[in-house]
Amino acid sequence: MHVTGEALARERSGIEMTTPSLARDSLIDSPSLAELAAVKISELVFRGEIGPDDRVVEEHLCSRLGVSRAPVREGLRILEGSGLVVRRPRAGVRVASLSQNDVFEILTFREGLEQMAVTHLYRFTDDIADVDATELDAALVRLADEFENGDDEFGRIQASYAFHTELVRLCGNSRIVSSYRQITMQVKLCMSLNLRRLNTVETPSENVARHRDLRAAVLSGDVNRALDAISGHGHDTFAREFLDTLPGGTERSAQWLDARD
Amino acid sequence: MHVTGEALARERSGIEMTTPSLARDSLIDSPSLAELAAVKISELVFRGEIGPDDRVVEEHLCSRLGVSRAPVREGLRILEGSGLVVRRPRAGVRVASLSQNDVFEILTFREGLEQMAVTHLYRFTDDIADVDATELDAALVRLADEFENGDDEFGRIQASYAFHTELVRLCGNSRIVSSYRQITMQVKLCMSLNLRRLNTVETPSENVARHRDLRAAVLSGDVNRALDAISGHGHDTFAREFLDTLPGGTERSAQWLDARD
DNA sequence: TCACTGTCGATTGTCTACAATAGGCTATCA
DNA sequence: TGATAGCCTATTGTAGACAATCGACAGTGA
């Protein structure tokens, strides 16, 4: 290890990755600083410390994370791949901007991916009862715990997305899962604008119940019930008023908004 | 510009990007060496000069491309994002390996994305006749030209994928398009194993006709006809014998293979 | 007042150098 | 002969330095 790179490097020993899937294969592959930087930067975004369309200056991140520019740049490349940040050659990196149309794209794509996952699950599974839902149930338990006992808004969001990721993972197609994980980054970006509003929409126990219902529907054996549950699931999460505050609506996004009144 | 970095740098003036979409917004934003490196490396893979599971050594690429390691590393990060290469920390980068199950995942995901795009197109379009198919038709013309006049196998593949990308772009959701472009990289990787076999499966004019039919079905106004056309489209492209040569079949992939006999 | 042009600081792009690691090879021992 | 430990080399990870570029600002002219 080098003399510098302390801040992040110190964490390498006992990390809890925000993306738990990374370490799933090999027992010990501590990530490179670049990957750690990517996680840290994404957390800055999700926590709202850096907002949509904000300029991200590499050196600022360096001093903040305690590493040199090389890993920071690579970390930004990683985040670029999932669309969390956008780079314009020689003009730097910005957090992705979120117009109303962007949110529309993100949420509909996410819904589409979940439905695709369920479709594949049913298409390639003889008997739904054989599906191993261990991880999904574990995620549901963690989610319930987080919502009922914890009070960290950020932790709740993470638990919620962990559950949805496990849901998608049921389909067994790792490419679908990767793609879902990427778009999830962007969903979290949307949420970062909307953290406080979450609690006003529904109570914690309502939220847990909603996820429990989703699990039941997906594993019910009835594809259409599963698909409907997915398309219904997201509707309350984003209050209409929030979306209306965003600029950059298009004909399509307006139409989509109207449809859910 | 630096003294070194000649090889790639020289190209920056008159580039034809393999991914034409990149330069779509700003008139002149010449890509960085990292992005050029990513394109070049991916071409090495698609042309079969580097095959699945091959180790990719950064310095070898440096001497080959005439740049230093920094842009090469960033280029590899970009490719990593689309799953073309896989990195194990401190153990280097490899081209993604292709088991039978991988090909199964890739092709079903691709099919799913195309269907999702069409579903969205129909869901958010009042009258299909209003859809602007200019780019799609242009891609079809280029495809026909490539197949009827050209004889560069690589060029044909590119034209074919350009057409499919335009097809997906009709849905108007840039996130879906990005995701599709990523998985296309992996489809091309599959094709790189199979370049010669393509011509044995169908004649050039058959291929063009098949794409023309696909266009017609997608714009027919009948969603189900469009979806069926998509799921039927890929079937002949990969001959069963090829897939059987691959190791790493799973129950699912076998079932999937059997279904298309 | 407005448009244009040149300059300057901040920032990105790239290169080189060095430290740390992985994986193969040899020597040693049983 | 076979397994194991230890070195050695090739390669990756990271840092730091420099060149090129962008964007803001002030100055110039109309």
Coordinates of all heavy atoms in Angstrom, one line a residue, chain A residues 29-30 32 34-35 73-74 77-78 81 89-90 102 104-106 108-109 111-113 116 120-121 123-126 170-176 179 182-183 186 252 255-256, chain B residues 29-32 34-35 73-74 77-78 81 89-90 102 104-106 108-109 111-113 116 120-121 123-126 170-176 179 182-183 186 252 255-256:
Chain A
D29 N -11.9 -10.6 -2.5 CA -11.2 -9.6 -3.5 C -11.6 -8.2 -3.0 O -12.7 -7.8 -3.4 CB -11.6 -9.9 -4.9 CG -13.0 -10.2 -5.1 OD1 -13.8 -10.0 -4.2 OD2 -13.4 -10.7 -6.2
S30 N -10.7 -7.7 -2.2 CA -11.0 -6.3 -1.8 C -10.9 -5.5 -3.1 O -10.1 -5.7 -3.9 CB -9.9 -5.9 -0.8 OG -8.7 -5.5 -1.5
S32 N -10.6 -2.3 -5.7 CA -9.6 -1.3 -5.9 C -10.1 0.0 -5.4 O -11.3 0.2 -5.2 CB -9.2 -1.2 -7.4 OG -10.3 -0.7 -8.1
A34 N -10.5 2.6 -7.1 CA -11.4 3.1 -8.1 C -12.8 2.6 -7.7 O -13.8 3.4 -7.8 CB -11.0 2.6 -9.5
E35 N -13.0 1.4 -7.4 CA -14.3 0.9 -7.1 C -14.9 1.5 -5.8 O -16.0 1.9 -5.7 CB -14.3 -0.6 -7.0 CG -14.0 -1.3 -8.4 CD -13.7 -2.7 -8.3 OE1 -14.7 -3.5 -8.2 OE2 -12.5 -3.1 -8.3
R73 N -10.9 9.2 -11.3 CA -11.3 9.2 -12.6 C -11.9 7.9 -13.1 O -13.0 7.8 -13.7 CB -10.1 9.5 -13.6 CG -9.8 11.0 -13.6 CD -8.6 11.3 -14.5 NE -8.9 10.9 -15.9 CZ -9.5 11.7 -16.8 NH1 -9.8 12.9 -16.4 NH2 -9.7 11.3 -18.0
E74 N -11.2 6.8 -12.6 CA -11.8 5.5 -13.0 C -13.1 5.2 -12.3 O -14.0 4.7 -12.9 CB -10.8 4.4 -12.6 CG -9.6 4.4 -13.5 CD -8.7 3.2 -13.4 OE1 -9.2 2.1 -13.0 OE2 -7.4 3.3 -13.6
R77 N -15.7 6.9 -14.3 CA -16.0 6.1 -15.5 C -17.0 5.0 -15.1 O -17.9 4.7 -15.9 CB -14.7 5.5 -16.0 CG -13.8 6.4 -16.7 CD -14.3 6.8 -18.1 NE -13.3 7.6 -18.8 CZ -13.5 8.3 -19.9 NH1 -14.8 8.3 -20.4 NH2 -12.6 9.0 -20.4
I78 N -16.8 4.4 -14.0 CA -17.8 3.4 -13.6 C -19.2 3.9 -13.4 O -20.1 3.4 -14.0 CB -17.3 2.7 -12.2 CG1 -16.0 2.0 -12.4 CG2 -18.4 1.8 -11.7 CD1 -15.4 1.4 -11.2
G81 N -21.0 4.7 -16.5 CA -21.6 3.5 -17.2 C -23.0 3.2 -16.7 O -23.8 2.7 -17.5
P89 N -16.4 15.6 -22.9 CA -15.0 15.7 -23.0 C -14.4 17.0 -22.8 O -14.8 18.0 -23.3 CB -14.8 15.2 -24.5 CG -15.9 14.4 -24.8 CD -17.1 15.0 -24.0
R90 N -13.4 17.1 -21.9 CA -12.7 18.3 -21.6 C -13.5 19.4 -20.8 O -13.0 20.4 -20.5 CB -12.0 18.9 -22.8 CG -10.8 18.2 -23.3 CD -10.4 18.6 -24.7 NE -11.5 18.4 -25.6 CZ -11.8 17.2 -26.1 NH1 -11.1 16.1 -25.7 NH2 -12.8 17.0 -27.0
D102 N -36.7 12.7 -17.9 CA -35.7 11.8 -17.5 C -36.4 10.8 -16.4 O -36.2 9.6 -16.5 CB -34.6 12.5 -16.8 CG -33.7 13.1 -17.9 OD1 -33.4 12.5 -18.9 OD2 -33.3 14.3 -17.7
F104 N -39.4 10.1 -16.1 CA -40.3 9.2 -16.8 C -39.6 8.1 -17.5 O -40.0 6.9 -17.3 CB -41.0 10.1 -17.9 CG -41.6 9.3 -19.0 CD1 -42.7 8.5 -18.8 CD2 -41.1 9.4 -20.3 CE1 -43.3 7.8 -19.9 CE2 -41.6 8.6 -21.3 CZ -42.7 7.9 -21.1
E105 N -38.5 8.4 -18.1 CA -37.7 7.3 -18.8 C -37.2 6.3 -17.7 O -37.3 5.1 -17.9 CB -36.5 7.9 -19.5 CG -36.8 8.6 -20.8 CD -35.6 8.9 -21.6 OE1 -34.5 8.4 -21.2 OE2 -35.7 9.6 -22.6
I106 N -36.7 6.8 -16.7 CA -36.1 6.0 -15.6 C -37.1 5.0 -15.0 O -36.9 3.8 -14.9 CB -35.4 6.8 -14.5 CG1 -34.2 7.6 -15.1 CG2 -35.0 6.0 -13.4 CD1 -33.7 8.7 -14.2
T108 N -40.1 4.2 -16.1 CA -40.7 3.2 -17.0 C -39.7 2.1 -17.4 O -40.1 0.9 -17.5 CB -41.2 3.9 -18.3 OG1 -40.2 4.6 -18.9 CG2 -42.4 4.8 -18.0
F109 N -38.5 2.4 -17.5 CA -37.5 1.4 -17.9 C -37.4 0.4 -16.7 O -37.3 -0.8 -16.9 CB -36.1 2.0 -18.2 CG -35.1 1.0 -18.5 CD1 -35.4 -0.1 -19.3 CD2 -33.8 1.2 -18.1 CE1 -34.4 -1.0 -19.7 CE2 -32.8 0.3 -18.5 CZ -33.1 -0.8 -19.2
E111 N -39.6 -0.3 -14.4 CA -40.8 -1.1 -14.4 C -40.7 -2.2 -15.5 O -40.9 -3.4 -15.2 CB -42.0 -0.3 -14.6 CG -43.3 -1.0 -14.6 CD -44.5 -0.1 -14.8 OE1 -44.6 0.9 -14.1 OE2 -45.3 -0.4 -15.7
G112 N -40.2 -1.8 -16.7 CA -40.1 -2.7 -17.8 C -39.1 -3.9 -17.5 O -39.4 -5.0 -17.8
L113 N -38.0 -3.5 -16.8 CA -37.0 -4.5 -16.5 C -37.6 -5.5 -15.4 O -37.4 -6.7 -15.6 CB -35.8 -3.9 -15.9 CG -34.7 -3.5 -17.0 CD1 -33.5 -2.9 -16.3 CD2 -34.3 -4.7 -17.8
M116 N -39.8 -7.7 -17.3 CA -39.1 -8.7 -18.1 C -38.5 -9.8 -17.2 O -38.6 -11.0 -17.6 CB -37.9 -7.9 -18.8 CG -37.2 -8.8 -19.8 SD -35.6 -8.2 -20.3 CE -35.9 -6.6 -20.9
H120 N -39.4 -13.7 -17.7 CA -38.4 -14.8 -17.9 C -38.5 -15.8 -16.9 O -38.3 -17.0 -17.1 CB -37.0 -14.1 -17.9 CG -36.6 -13.5 -19.2 ND1 -35.5 -13.7 -19.9 CD2 -37.3 -12.6 -20.0 CE1 -35.4 -13.0 -21.0 NE2 -36.6 -12.3 -21.1
L121 N -38.7 -15.4 -15.7 CA -38.9 -16.3 -14.6 C -39.9 -17.4 -14.9 O -39.7 -18.6 -14.8 CB -39.2 -15.6 -13.3 CG -39.5 -16.5 -12.1 CD1 -38.3 -17.2 -11.6 CD2 -40.1 -15.6 -10.9
R123 N -41.2 -18.0 -17.8 CA -41.0 -18.7 -19.1 C -40.0 -19.8 -18.9 O -40.2 -20.9 -19.6 CB -40.4 -17.7 -20.1 CG -40.1 -18.2 -21.5 CD -39.8 -17.0 -22.4 NE -39.2 -17.5 -23.6 CZ -38.4 -16.7 -24.4 NH1 -38.3 -15.4 -24.0 NH2 -37.9 -17.1 -25.5
F124 N -39.1 -19.7 -18.0 CA -38.1 -20.7 -17.9 C -38.1 -21.5 -16.6 O -37.2 -22.1 -16.2 CB -36.7 -20.1 -18.1 CG -36.5 -19.4 -19.4 CD1 -36.3 -18.1 -19.5 CD2 -36.5 -20.2 -20.6 CE1 -36.1 -17.5 -20.7 CE2 -36.3 -19.6 -21.8 CZ -36.1 -18.2 -21.9
T125 N -39.3 -21.4 -15.9 CA -39.4 -22.2 -14.7 C -40.6 -23.1 -14.9 O -41.7 -22.7 -15.2 CB -39.6 -21.3 -13.5 OG1 -38.6 -20.3 -13.5 CG2 -39.7 -22.1 -12.2
D126 N -40.4 -24.4 -14.7 CA -41.5 -25.3 -14.8 C -42.5 -25.2 -13.7 O -43.7 -25.0 -13.9 CB -41.0 -26.8 -14.8 CG -40.2 -27.1 -16.1 OD1 -40.5 -26.6 -17.1 OD2 -39.1 -27.8 -16.0
L170 N -34.3 -13.3 -9.2 CA -35.0 -14.5 -9.3 C -35.0 -15.1 -10.8 O -35.0 -16.3 -11.0 CB -36.5 -14.4 -8.9 CG -36.8 -14.2 -7.4 CD1 -38.3 -14.0 -7.2 CD2 -36.2 -15.3 -6.6
C171 N -35.0 -14.2 -11.7 CA -35.1 -14.6 -13.1 C -33.8 -15.4 -13.5 O -33.8 -16.1 -14.5 CB -35.3 -13.4 -14.0 SG -33.8 -12.5 -14.4
G172 N -32.7 -15.3 -12.8 CA -31.6 -16.1 -13.1 C -30.7 -15.5 -14.2 O -29.7 -16.2 -14.6
N173 N -31.1 -14.4 -14.8 CA -30.3 -13.9 -15.9 C -29.4 -12.7 -15.4 O -29.9 -11.6 -15.1 CB -31.2 -13.4 -17.0 CG -30.5 -12.9 -18.2 OD1 -29.4 -12.3 -18.1 ND2 -31.0 -13.3 -19.4
S174 N -28.1 -12.9 -15.3 CA -27.2 -12.0 -14.6 C -27.1 -10.7 -15.4 O -26.9 -9.6 -14.9 CB -25.8 -12.6 -14.4 OG -25.2 -12.8 -15.7
R175 N -27.4 -10.8 -16.8 CA -27.4 -9.5 -17.6 C -28.6 -8.6 -17.2 O -28.4 -7.4 -17.1 CB -27.4 -9.9 -19.0 CG -26.1 -10.1 -19.7 CD -25.5 -11.4 -19.4 NE -24.2 -11.6 -20.0 CZ -23.4 -12.6 -19.8 NH1 -23.9 -13.6 -19.0 NH2 -22.2 -12.7 -20.4
I176 N -29.7 -9.2 -17.0 CA -30.8 -8.4 -16.6 C -30.6 -7.8 -15.3 O -30.9 -6.6 -15.0 CB -32.1 -9.3 -16.6 CG1 -32.4 -9.9 -17.9 CG2 -33.3 -8.5 -16.0 CD1 -33.7 -10.7 -18.0
S179 N -28.2 -4.8 -15.6 CA -28.9 -3.7 -16.2 C -29.8 -3.1 -15.1 O -29.9 -1.8 -15.0 CB -29.6 -4.1 -17.4 OG -30.2 -3.0 -18.1
Q182 N -27.9 -1.0 -12.7 CA -27.5 0.3 -13.3 C -28.7 1.3 -13.2 O -28.5 2.4 -12.7 CB -27.1 0.1 -14.7 CG -25.7 -0.6 -14.8 CD -25.2 -0.6 -16.2 OE1 -25.9 -0.3 -17.2 NE2 -23.9 -0.8 -16.4
I183 N -29.8 0.9 -13.6 CA -30.9 1.8 -13.6 C -31.4 2.2 -12.2 O -31.8 3.3 -11.9 CB -32.1 1.3 -14.5 CG1 -33.1 2.5 -14.8 CG2 -32.9 0.3 -13.7 CD1 -32.4 3.5 -15.7
Q186 N -30.0 5.3 -11.0 CA -30.6 6.5 -11.4 C -31.9 6.7 -10.6 O -32.3 7.8 -10.4 CB -30.9 6.4 -12.9 CG -29.6 6.4 -13.7 CD -29.9 6.5 -15.2 OE1 -30.5 7.4 -15.7 NE2 -29.3 5.6 -16.0
R252 N -45.0 12.9 -23.9 CA -45.1 11.5 -23.4 C -45.1 11.5 -21.9 O -45.9 10.8 -21.3 CB -43.9 10.7 -23.8 CG -44.0 10.3 -25.3 CD -43.0 9.3 -25.7 NE -43.2 8.8 -27.0 CZ -42.5 7.9 -27.7 NH1 -41.5 7.4 -27.1 NH2 -42.8 7.6 -28.9
Q255 N -48.4 12.7 -20.6 CA -49.4 11.6 -20.9 C -49.3 10.5 -19.8 O -50.3 10.1 -19.3 CB -49.2 11.0 -22.2 CG -50.1 9.9 -22.6 CD -49.7 9.3 -24.0 OE1 -49.0 9.9 -24.8 NE2 -50.2 8.1 -24.2
W256 N -48.1 10.2 -19.5 CA -47.9 9.1 -18.5 C -48.3 9.5 -17.1 O -48.9 8.8 -16.4 CB -46.4 8.8 -18.5 CG -45.9 7.8 -17.5 CD1 -46.1 6.5 -17.4 CD2 -45.0 8.2 -16.4 NE1 -45.5 6.0 -16.4 CE2 -44.8 7.0 -15.7 CE3 -44.4 9.3 -15.9 CZ2 -44.0 6.9 -14.6 CZ3 -43.6 9.3 -14.8 CH2 -43.4 8.1 -14.1
Chain B
D29 N -17.3 17.3 -30.6 CA -16.6 16.9 -29.4 C -15.8 15.7 -29.7 O -16.3 14.6 -29.6 CB -17.4 16.8 -28.1 CG -18.7 16.0 -28.4 OD1 -18.8 15.4 -29.5 OD2 -19.5 16.0 -27.5
S30 N -14.6 15.9 -30.1 CA -13.7 14.8 -30.4 C -13.5 14.0 -29.1 O -13.3 14.6 -28.0 CB -12.4 15.3 -30.9 OG -11.5 15.6 -29.8
P31 N -13.6 12.7 -29.1 CA -13.6 11.9 -27.9 C -12.2 11.9 -27.3 O -11.2 12.3 -28.0 CB -14.0 10.5 -28.4 CG -13.6 10.5 -29.9 CD -13.8 11.9 -30.3
S32 N -12.1 11.6 -26.1 CA -10.8 11.5 -25.5 C -10.1 10.2 -25.9 O -10.8 9.3 -26.5 CB -11.0 11.4 -23.9 OG -11.7 10.3 -23.6
A34 N -9.3 7.8 -24.2 CA -9.9 6.7 -23.4 C -11.1 6.2 -24.2 O -11.2 4.9 -24.4 CB -10.4 7.2 -22.1
E35 N -11.9 7.0 -24.8 CA -13.0 6.6 -25.5 C -12.6 5.9 -26.8 O -13.1 4.9 -27.2 CB -14.0 7.7 -25.8 CG -14.6 8.2 -24.5 CD -15.4 9.5 -24.6 OE1 -16.5 9.5 -25.2 OE2 -14.8 10.6 -24.3
R73 N -6.6 2.1 -19.5 CA -7.3 1.6 -18.3 C -8.7 2.2 -18.3 O -9.7 1.5 -18.0 CB -6.6 2.1 -17.0 CG -5.4 1.2 -16.7 CD -4.7 1.7 -15.5 NE -5.6 1.6 -14.3 CZ -5.7 0.5 -13.5 NH1 -5.0 -0.6 -13.8 NH2 -6.5 0.5 -12.5
E74 N -8.8 3.5 -18.6 CA -10.2 4.1 -18.6 C -11.0 3.5 -19.7 O -12.2 3.2 -19.5 CB -10.1 5.6 -18.8 CG -9.6 6.3 -17.5 CD -9.7 7.8 -17.6 OE1 -10.6 8.3 -18.2 OE2 -8.8 8.4 -16.9
R77 N -12.4 0.3 -18.5 CA -13.5 0.6 -17.5 C -14.8 0.7 -18.3 O -15.8 0.3 -17.9 CB -13.2 1.8 -16.7 CG -12.1 1.6 -15.6 CD -12.7 0.9 -14.4 NE -11.6 0.8 -13.4 CZ -11.7 0.0 -12.4 NH1 -12.6 -0.9 -12.3 NH2 -10.7 0.0 -11.5
I78 N -14.7 1.5 -19.4 CA -15.9 1.7 -20.2 C -16.4 0.4 -20.7 O -17.6 0.0 -20.6 CB -15.6 2.6 -21.4 CG1 -15.2 4.0 -20.9 CG2 -16.7 2.7 -22.4 CD1 -14.7 5.0 -22.0
G81 N -18.2 -1.7 -18.3 CA -19.5 -1.3 -18.0 C -20.5 -2.0 -18.9 O -21.7 -2.2 -18.5
P89 N -9.8 -7.7 -9.5 CA -8.9 -6.8 -8.9 C -7.5 -7.4 -8.8 O -7.3 -8.5 -8.3 CB -9.5 -6.5 -7.6 CG -10.9 -6.7 -7.7 CD -11.1 -7.8 -8.8
R90 N -6.5 -6.7 -9.3 CA -5.1 -7.1 -9.3 C -4.8 -8.3 -10.1 O -3.6 -8.8 -10.0 CB -4.6 -7.3 -7.8 CG -4.5 -6.0 -7.0 CD -4.3 -6.2 -5.6 NE -5.5 -6.9 -5.0 CZ -6.7 -6.3 -4.8 NH1 -6.8 -5.0 -5.1 NH2 -7.7 -6.9 -4.3
D102 N -24.2 -18.2 -21.0 CA -24.0 -16.8 -21.2 C -24.7 -16.4 -22.5 O -25.4 -15.3 -22.5 CB -22.5 -16.5 -21.3 CG -21.8 -16.5 -20.0 OD1 -22.3 -16.0 -19.0 OD2 -20.7 -17.1 -19.9
F104 N -27.1 -17.8 -23.9 CA -28.6 -17.8 -23.6 C -29.0 -16.5 -22.9 O -30.0 -15.9 -23.3 CB -28.8 -19.0 -22.7 CG -30.1 -19.0 -21.9 CD1 -31.3 -19.1 -22.6 CD2 -30.1 -18.8 -20.5 CE1 -32.5 -19.1 -21.8 CE2 -31.3 -18.8 -19.8 CZ -32.5 -18.9 -20.5
E105 N -28.3 -16.1 -21.9 CA -28.6 -14.9 -21.2 C -28.6 -13.7 -22.1 O -29.5 -12.8 -22.1 CB -27.7 -14.6 -20.0 CG -27.8 -15.6 -18.8 CD -27.1 -15.1 -17.6 OE1 -26.5 -14.0 -17.7 OE2 -27.0 -15.8 -16.6
I106 N -27.6 -13.6 -22.9 CA -27.4 -12.4 -23.7 C -28.5 -12.3 -24.8 O -29.2 -11.3 -24.9 CB -26.0 -12.5 -24.5 CG1 -24.9 -12.3 -23.4 CG2 -25.9 -11.5 -25.5 CD1 -23.5 -12.7 -24.0
T108 N -31.5 -13.8 -24.8 CA -32.9 -13.6 -24.3 C -33.0 -12.2 -23.7 O -34.1 -11.6 -23.9 CB -33.2 -14.6 -23.2 OG1 -32.1 -14.6 -22.2 CG2 -33.3 -16.0 -23.7
F109 N -32.0 -11.6 -23.2 CA -32.1 -10.2 -22.7 C -32.2 -9.3 -23.9 O -33.0 -8.4 -23.8 CB -30.8 -9.9 -21.9 CG -30.9 -8.5 -21.3 CD1 -32.0 -7.9 -20.8 CD2 -29.7 -7.7 -21.3 CE1 -32.1 -6.7 -20.3 CE2 -29.7 -6.4 -20.7 CZ -30.9 -5.9 -20.2
E111 N -33.5 -9.9 -26.8 CA -34.9 -10.1 -27.3 C -35.9 -9.3 -26.3 O -36.7 -8.6 -26.8 CB -35.2 -11.5 -27.3 CG -36.6 -11.8 -27.9 CD -36.9 -13.3 -27.9 OE1 -36.1 -14.1 -28.4 OE2 -37.9 -13.7 -27.4
G112 N -35.6 -9.5 -25.0 CA -36.5 -8.8 -24.1 C -36.5 -7.3 -24.2 O -37.5 -6.7 -24.1
L113 N -35.3 -6.8 -24.4 CA -35.2 -5.3 -24.6 C -35.9 -4.8 -25.8 O -36.6 -3.8 -25.8 CB -33.7 -4.9 -24.6 CG -33.1 -4.7 -23.2 CD1 -31.6 -4.2 -23.4 CD2 -33.8 -3.6 -22.4
M116 N -39.4 -4.9 -25.1 CA -39.8 -3.8 -24.2 C -39.9 -2.5 -25.0 O -40.8 -1.7 -24.8 CB -38.8 -3.6 -23.1 CG -39.2 -2.7 -22.0 SD -37.8 -2.1 -21.0 CE -37.2 -3.6 -20.3
H120 N -43.2 -0.2 -25.2 CA -43.2 1.3 -24.9 C -43.7 2.1 -26.0 O -44.4 3.1 -25.9 CB -41.9 1.7 -24.4 CG -41.6 1.3 -22.9 ND1 -41.2 2.1 -22.0 CD2 -41.8 0.1 -22.3 CE1 -41.1 1.5 -20.8 NE2 -41.4 0.2 -21.0
L121 N -43.2 1.8 -27.2 CA -43.6 2.5 -28.4 C -45.1 2.6 -28.6 O -45.7 3.6 -28.7 CB -42.9 1.9 -29.6 CG -43.3 2.5 -31.0 CD1 -42.8 3.9 -31.1 CD2 -42.8 1.7 -32.1
R123 N -47.3 1.8 -26.3 CA -48.0 2.3 -25.1 C -48.1 3.8 -25.1 O -49.0 4.4 -24.7 CB -47.2 1.8 -23.9 CG -47.8 2.2 -22.5 CD -47.1 1.5 -21.4 NE -47.3 2.1 -20.1 CZ -46.6 1.8 -19.1 NH1 -45.5 1.0 -19.2 NH2 -46.8 2.4 -17.9
F124 N -47.0 4.5 -25.6 CA -47.0 5.9 -25.5 C -47.1 6.6 -26.9 O -46.7 7.8 -27.0 CB -45.6 6.3 -24.9 CG -45.5 5.8 -23.5 CD1 -44.5 4.9 -23.2 CD2 -46.3 6.2 -22.5 CE1 -44.4 4.4 -21.9 CE2 -46.2 5.7 -21.2 CZ -45.3 4.8 -20.9
T125 N -47.6 5.9 -27.8 CA -47.8 6.5 -29.1 C -49.3 6.4 -29.5 O -49.9 5.3 -29.5 CB -47.0 5.8 -30.2 OG1 -45.6 5.9 -29.8 CG2 -47.2 6.6 -31.5
D126 N -49.9 7.5 -29.8 CA -51.3 7.5 -30.1 C -51.6 6.8 -31.5 O -52.3 5.9 -31.6 CB -51.9 8.9 -30.1 CG -51.9 9.5 -28.7 OD1 -52.2 8.8 -27.8 OD2 -51.7 10.7 -28.6
L170 N -36.7 3.9 -31.6 CA -38.1 4.3 -31.9 C -38.9 4.6 -30.6 O -39.8 5.4 -30.5 CB -38.8 3.3 -32.7 CG -38.4 3.2 -34.2 CD1 -39.3 2.1 -34.9 CD2 -38.5 4.5 -34.9
C171 N -38.6 3.8 -29.5 CA -39.4 3.9 -28.3 C -39.2 5.2 -27.6 O -39.9 5.6 -26.8 CB -39.0 2.7 -27.4 SG -37.5 3.0 -26.5
G172 N -38.1 5.9 -28.0 CA -37.9 7.3 -27.4 C -37.3 7.3 -26.0 O -37.2 8.4 -25.5
N173 N -37.0 6.1 -25.5 CA -36.5 6.1 -24.1 C -34.9 5.9 -24.2 O -34.5 4.8 -24.5 CB -37.1 5.0 -23.3 CG -36.7 5.0 -21.9 OD1 -35.6 5.2 -21.5 ND2 -37.7 4.8 -21.0
S174 N -34.2 6.9 -23.9 CA -32.7 6.8 -24.1 C -32.1 5.8 -23.1 O -31.0 5.3 -23.4 CB -32.1 8.2 -23.9 OG -32.2 8.6 -22.6
R175 N -32.7 5.6 -22.0 CA -32.2 4.6 -21.1 C -32.3 3.2 -21.7 O -31.4 2.4 -21.5 CB -32.9 4.6 -19.7 CG -32.3 5.5 -18.7 CD -32.7 7.0 -19.0 NE -32.1 7.9 -18.0 CZ -32.2 9.2 -18.1 NH1 -32.9 9.7 -19.1 NH2 -31.6 10.0 -17.2
I176 N -33.4 2.9 -22.3 CA -33.5 1.6 -22.9 C -32.5 1.5 -24.0 O -31.9 0.4 -24.2 CB -35.0 1.4 -23.5 CG1 -36.0 1.5 -22.4 CG2 -35.1 0.1 -24.3 CD1 -37.4 1.2 -22.8
S179 N -29.0 0.8 -22.6 CA -28.9 -0.6 -22.2 C -28.8 -1.6 -23.3 O -28.0 -2.5 -23.3 CB -30.1 -0.9 -21.3 OG -30.0 -2.2 -20.7
Q182 N -25.4 -1.6 -24.8 CA -24.5 -2.3 -24.0 C -24.6 -3.8 -24.3 O -23.6 -4.5 -24.5 CB -24.7 -2.1 -22.5 CG -24.3 -0.7 -22.0 CD -24.3 -0.5 -20.5 OE1 -25.0 -1.3 -19.8 NE2 -23.6 0.5 -20.0
I183 N -25.8 -4.3 -24.3 CA -25.9 -5.8 -24.5 C -25.6 -6.1 -25.9 O -25.1 -7.2 -26.2 CB -27.4 -6.3 -24.2 CG1 -27.4 -7.8 -24.0 CG2 -28.4 -5.9 -25.3 CD1 -26.5 -8.2 -22.8
Q186 N -22.2 -7.4 -26.3 CA -22.0 -8.8 -25.9 C -22.5 -9.7 -27.0 O -21.9 -10.8 -27.3 CB -22.7 -9.1 -24.6 CG -22.1 -8.4 -23.4 CD -22.6 -8.8 -22.1 OE1 -22.7 -9.9 -21.7 NE2 -23.1 -7.8 -21.3
R252 N -31.6 -24.4 -18.0 CA -32.4 -23.4 -18.7 C -32.0 -23.3 -20.1 O -32.8 -23.2 -21.0 CB -32.3 -22.1 -17.9 CG -33.1 -22.0 -16.7 CD -33.2 -20.7 -16.1 NE -34.1 -20.7 -15.0 CZ -34.4 -19.6 -14.3 NH1 -33.8 -18.5 -14.5 NH2 -35.2 -19.7 -13.3
Q255 N -33.1 -26.1 -22.2 CA -34.6 -26.0 -22.4 C -34.9 -25.0 -23.5 O -35.7 -25.3 -24.4 CB -35.2 -25.6 -21.1 CG -36.7 -25.4 -21.2 CD -37.3 -24.9 -19.9 OE1 -36.6 -24.9 -18.8 NE2 -38.5 -24.3 -19.9
W256 N -34.2 -23.9 -23.4 CA -34.4 -22.8 -24.4 C -34.0 -23.3 -25.8 O -34.6 -23.0 -26.8 CB -33.6 -21.6 -23.9 CG -33.5 -20.5 -24.9 CD1 -34.5 -19.6 -25.2 CD2 -32.4 -20.0 -25.6 NE1 -34.1 -18.7 -26.1 CE2 -32.8 -18.9 -26.3 CE3 -31.1 -20.4 -25.7 CZ2 -31.9 -18.2 -27.2 CZ3 -30.2 -19.7 -26.5 CH2 -30.6 -18.6 -27.2

